[in-house]
Amino acid sequence: MRTQSSAIAPAPIAVSTPPPQGLGTLQAALGVVAFSLTFPATAWGLEGFGPWSLVAVRSVLAALIAGGALLALRVPVPVRRHWAGLAVVAAGVVVGFPLLTTLALRTSTTAHAAVVVGLLPLTTALLSALRVGTRPSRTFWTAALAGAAAVVAFTVQQSGGALTTADLYLFAALLVCAAGYTEGGRLARVMPGWQVIGWALVLCLPIGVPAAALAVTYEPVHLTAHSVAGLLWVAAGSQFLGLVVWYRGMAAIGIPKASQLQLAQPLLTLVWSVLLLGEHLTPAAPLTATAVLVCIAVTQRARG
């Protein structure tokens, strides 16, 4: 007769241990810095690549980097229940956001695109509340809405209130990226953040390779120093390394608080657009910067 003690116990589920709060905030901030260079690097990439070929090639390069790291470290394949979430990350962060923002940057300046995407923190916090069940405090939401209002006011002032096709691309990018961030932040609680984005990139590789081959066939490629540098950054920096520290940071400090650090991203992008692209800022930029940084300080002190 089989006794209860002889029954085989289920294997324990490995859970990713998040870093301390301070380190988590630093990692999320480093992710924001990496992301803030994405639009200027994309503008450089568009000097030599078409929008479809740039997105496809960057996805393939990032997947090769991630796949090489996963293979070298002999990381086991995620369990089946995590693949649906990884597919959401892949659709939103690896494919949707890069494609939609690249299409927008054909006709929009990086400065304008940056402030529109400044609404991403609030969008991410909202989707997080719906998907993960987070309940930030009233102070948190007040500061988040104030930061979003500052971004909207800046955007309207810059565009004269007109809604362009590029804006529609950017608003769609907000939704898909926020979904990817939310799902990635949830997965980063049970596996290392770099593995989340790594497997999401690898998941896109079977589609990315033929897409890249087809895109470069129909879109002429003119390699320049700027286009190569831009491609390498969006592939290695934005698409992989930035997301590694970003998801790790979200796992440590929570999705809503990490998302509010991204309020600084459009302002950093404005700086890069001046330094790297020679774009000109309006007087409203310093005022928006001050308002947004105050909101970041409040959201980081508010307890969810």
Short mmCIF file of all heavy atoms in Angstrom, two decimals, residues 56 59-64 67 83 90 94-95 198-214:
data_model
loop_
_atom_site.label_atom_id
_atom_site.label_comp_id
_atom_site.label_asym_id
_atom_site.label_seq_id
_atom_site.Cartn_x
_atom_site.Cartn_y
_atom_site.Cartn_z
N ALA A 56 12.55 45.42 -39.24
CA ALA A 56 12.79 43.99 -39.37
C ALA A 56 14.24 43.63 -39.06
O ALA A 56 14.52 42.66 -38.34
CB ALA A 56 12.43 43.52 -40.78
N SER A 59 15.06 43.91 -35.35
CA SER A 59 14.49 42.79 -34.60
C SER A 59 15.36 41.54 -34.74
O SER A 59 15.59 40.83 -33.76
CB SER A 59 13.07 42.50 -35.11
OG SER A 59 12.54 41.34 -34.51
N VAL A 60 15.84 41.28 -35.94
CA VAL A 60 16.68 40.10 -36.17
C VAL A 60 18.00 40.24 -35.42
O VAL A 60 18.45 39.29 -34.75
CB VAL A 60 16.93 39.90 -37.68
CG1 VAL A 60 17.99 38.82 -37.91
CG2 VAL A 60 15.63 39.52 -38.38
N LEU A 61 18.65 41.40 -35.51
CA LEU A 61 19.92 41.60 -34.81
C LEU A 61 19.74 41.46 -33.30
O LEU A 61 20.56 40.81 -32.62
CB LEU A 61 20.49 42.98 -35.14
CG LEU A 61 21.00 43.18 -36.57
CD1 LEU A 61 21.51 44.61 -36.75
CD2 LEU A 61 22.11 42.18 -36.89
N ALA A 62 18.69 42.06 -32.75
CA ALA A 62 18.44 41.96 -31.32
C ALA A 62 18.16 40.51 -30.91
O ALA A 62 18.61 40.06 -29.85
CB ALA A 62 17.28 42.86 -30.92
N ALA A 63 17.43 39.78 -31.76
CA ALA A 63 17.12 38.38 -31.45
C ALA A 63 18.38 37.53 -31.47
O ALA A 63 18.53 36.61 -30.65
CB ALA A 63 16.11 37.84 -32.45
N LEU A 64 19.31 37.81 -32.38
CA LEU A 64 20.56 37.06 -32.42
C LEU A 64 21.39 37.32 -31.17
O LEU A 64 22.01 36.40 -30.61
CB LEU A 64 21.35 37.44 -33.67
CG LEU A 64 20.74 37.00 -35.01
CD1 LEU A 64 21.58 37.52 -36.17
CD2 LEU A 64 20.62 35.47 -35.07
N GLY A 67 19.43 35.56 -28.33
CA GLY A 67 19.54 34.12 -28.47
C GLY A 67 20.93 33.62 -28.12
O GLY A 67 21.08 32.56 -27.50
N TRP A 83 4.32 31.37 -22.28
CA TRP A 83 4.49 31.74 -23.68
C TRP A 83 3.44 32.73 -24.17
O TRP A 83 3.71 33.55 -25.05
CB TRP A 83 4.52 30.49 -24.56
CG TRP A 83 5.85 29.80 -24.51
CD1 TRP A 83 6.14 28.64 -23.85
CD2 TRP A 83 7.07 30.25 -25.11
NE1 TRP A 83 7.48 28.33 -24.00
CE2 TRP A 83 8.08 29.29 -24.77
CE3 TRP A 83 7.41 31.35 -25.88
CZ2 TRP A 83 9.40 29.42 -25.19
CZ3 TRP A 83 8.73 31.47 -26.31
CH2 TRP A 83 9.70 30.52 -25.96
N ALA A 90 6.28 40.31 -27.17
CA ALA A 90 6.83 40.34 -28.51
C ALA A 90 5.99 41.23 -29.44
O ALA A 90 6.52 42.05 -30.19
CB ALA A 90 6.92 38.92 -29.08
N VAL A 94 8.50 44.30 -29.24
CA VAL A 94 9.46 43.93 -30.28
C VAL A 94 8.98 44.35 -31.67
O VAL A 94 9.77 44.78 -32.51
CB VAL A 94 9.72 42.41 -30.25
CG1 VAL A 94 10.69 42.00 -31.36
CG2 VAL A 94 10.27 41.99 -28.89
N VAL A 95 7.67 44.23 -31.92
CA VAL A 95 7.14 44.51 -33.26
C VAL A 95 6.32 45.79 -33.30
O VAL A 95 6.62 46.72 -34.06
CB VAL A 95 6.28 43.32 -33.77
CG1 VAL A 95 5.71 43.65 -35.15
CG2 VAL A 95 7.12 42.05 -33.84
N GLY A 198 14.52 38.52 -23.86
CA GLY A 198 15.30 37.61 -24.69
C GLY A 198 14.43 36.59 -25.40
O GLY A 198 14.52 36.40 -26.62
N TRP A 199 13.54 35.95 -24.65
CA TRP A 199 12.67 34.95 -25.27
C TRP A 199 11.63 35.59 -26.17
O TRP A 199 11.23 34.99 -27.19
CB TRP A 199 11.99 34.10 -24.19
CG TRP A 199 12.91 33.13 -23.53
CD1 TRP A 199 13.31 33.12 -22.22
CD2 TRP A 199 13.56 32.02 -24.15
NE1 TRP A 199 14.17 32.08 -21.98
CE2 TRP A 199 14.35 31.39 -23.16
CE3 TRP A 199 13.56 31.49 -25.44
CZ2 TRP A 199 15.12 30.26 -23.42
CZ3 TRP A 199 14.35 30.38 -25.70
CH2 TRP A 199 15.10 29.77 -24.70
N ALA A 200 11.18 36.81 -25.84
CA ALA A 200 10.24 37.51 -26.72
C ALA A 200 10.90 37.81 -28.07
O ALA A 200 10.26 37.69 -29.13
CB ALA A 200 9.77 38.80 -26.06
N LEU A 201 12.17 38.21 -28.05
CA LEU A 201 12.90 38.46 -29.29
C LEU A 201 13.08 37.18 -30.09
O LEU A 201 12.88 37.17 -31.32
CB LEU A 201 14.25 39.09 -28.97
CG LEU A 201 14.23 40.55 -28.54
CD1 LEU A 201 15.56 40.95 -27.91
CD2 LEU A 201 13.93 41.46 -29.74
N VAL A 202 13.47 36.11 -29.42
CA VAL A 202 13.67 34.83 -30.11
C VAL A 202 12.35 34.35 -30.71
O VAL A 202 12.33 33.76 -31.81
CB VAL A 202 14.24 33.80 -29.13
CG1 VAL A 202 14.24 32.40 -29.75
CG2 VAL A 202 15.66 34.19 -28.72
N LEU A 203 11.25 34.60 -30.02
CA LEU A 203 9.94 34.20 -30.52
C LEU A 203 9.63 34.85 -31.86
O LEU A 203 8.93 34.26 -32.71
CB LEU A 203 8.87 34.58 -29.49
CG LEU A 203 7.44 34.10 -29.73
CD1 LEU A 203 7.39 32.57 -29.70
CD2 LEU A 203 6.51 34.66 -28.67
N CYS A 204 10.16 36.06 -32.08
CA CYS A 204 9.90 36.79 -33.34
C CYS A 204 10.87 36.43 -34.45
O CYS A 204 10.68 36.84 -35.60
CB CYS A 204 9.98 38.30 -33.09
SG CYS A 204 8.68 38.96 -32.05
N LEU A 205 11.92 35.67 -34.13
CA LEU A 205 12.97 35.40 -35.12
C LEU A 205 12.45 34.66 -36.36
O LEU A 205 12.84 35.02 -37.48
CB LEU A 205 14.10 34.60 -34.46
CG LEU A 205 15.42 34.53 -35.23
CD1 LEU A 205 15.95 35.92 -35.54
CD2 LEU A 205 16.44 33.75 -34.42
N PRO A 206 11.59 33.65 -36.24
CA PRO A 206 11.12 32.97 -37.46
C PRO A 206 10.35 33.89 -38.40
O PRO A 206 10.31 33.64 -39.61
CB PRO A 206 10.20 31.86 -36.90
CG PRO A 206 10.70 31.62 -35.52
CD PRO A 206 11.13 32.97 -35.02
N ILE A 207 9.73 34.93 -37.86
CA ILE A 207 9.03 35.90 -38.71
C ILE A 207 9.97 37.01 -39.16
O ILE A 207 9.90 37.50 -40.28
CB ILE A 207 7.83 36.50 -37.95
CG1 ILE A 207 6.85 35.40 -37.54
CG2 ILE A 207 7.12 37.56 -38.79
CD1 ILE A 207 5.70 35.89 -36.68
N GLY A 208 10.89 37.39 -38.27
CA GLY A 208 11.77 38.52 -38.55
C GLY A 208 12.73 38.28 -39.69
O GLY A 208 13.00 39.18 -40.50
N VAL A 209 13.28 37.06 -39.79
CA VAL A 209 14.27 36.78 -40.83
C VAL A 209 13.67 36.91 -42.23
O VAL A 209 14.21 37.65 -43.07
CB VAL A 209 14.90 35.39 -40.62
CG1 VAL A 209 15.75 35.00 -41.82
CG2 VAL A 209 15.74 35.38 -39.35
N PRO A 210 12.56 36.22 -42.56
CA PRO A 210 11.99 36.42 -43.90
C PRO A 210 11.47 37.84 -44.12
O PRO A 210 11.54 38.36 -45.24
CB PRO A 210 10.86 35.39 -43.96
CG PRO A 210 10.56 35.04 -42.54
CD PRO A 210 11.83 35.19 -41.80
N ALA A 211 10.96 38.48 -43.04
CA ALA A 211 10.49 39.85 -43.19
C ALA A 211 11.63 40.79 -43.53
O ALA A 211 11.50 41.69 -44.37
CB ALA A 211 9.80 40.31 -41.90
N ALA A 212 12.79 40.60 -42.88
CA ALA A 212 13.95 41.44 -43.17
C ALA A 212 14.44 41.22 -44.59
O ALA A 212 14.78 42.18 -45.31
CB ALA A 212 15.06 41.15 -42.17
N ALA A 213 14.50 39.96 -45.02
CA ALA A 213 14.95 39.66 -46.38
C ALA A 213 14.02 40.28 -47.42
O ALA A 213 14.47 40.84 -48.44
CB ALA A 213 15.03 38.15 -46.57
N LEU A 214 12.72 40.22 -47.16
CA LEU A 214 11.75 40.79 -48.10
C LEU A 214 11.82 42.32 -48.09
O LEU A 214 11.76 42.96 -49.16
CB LEU A 214 10.34 40.33 -47.71
CG LEU A 214 9.20 40.75 -48.65
CD1 LEU A 214 9.39 40.14 -50.03
CD2 LEU A 214 7.85 40.33 -48.06
#
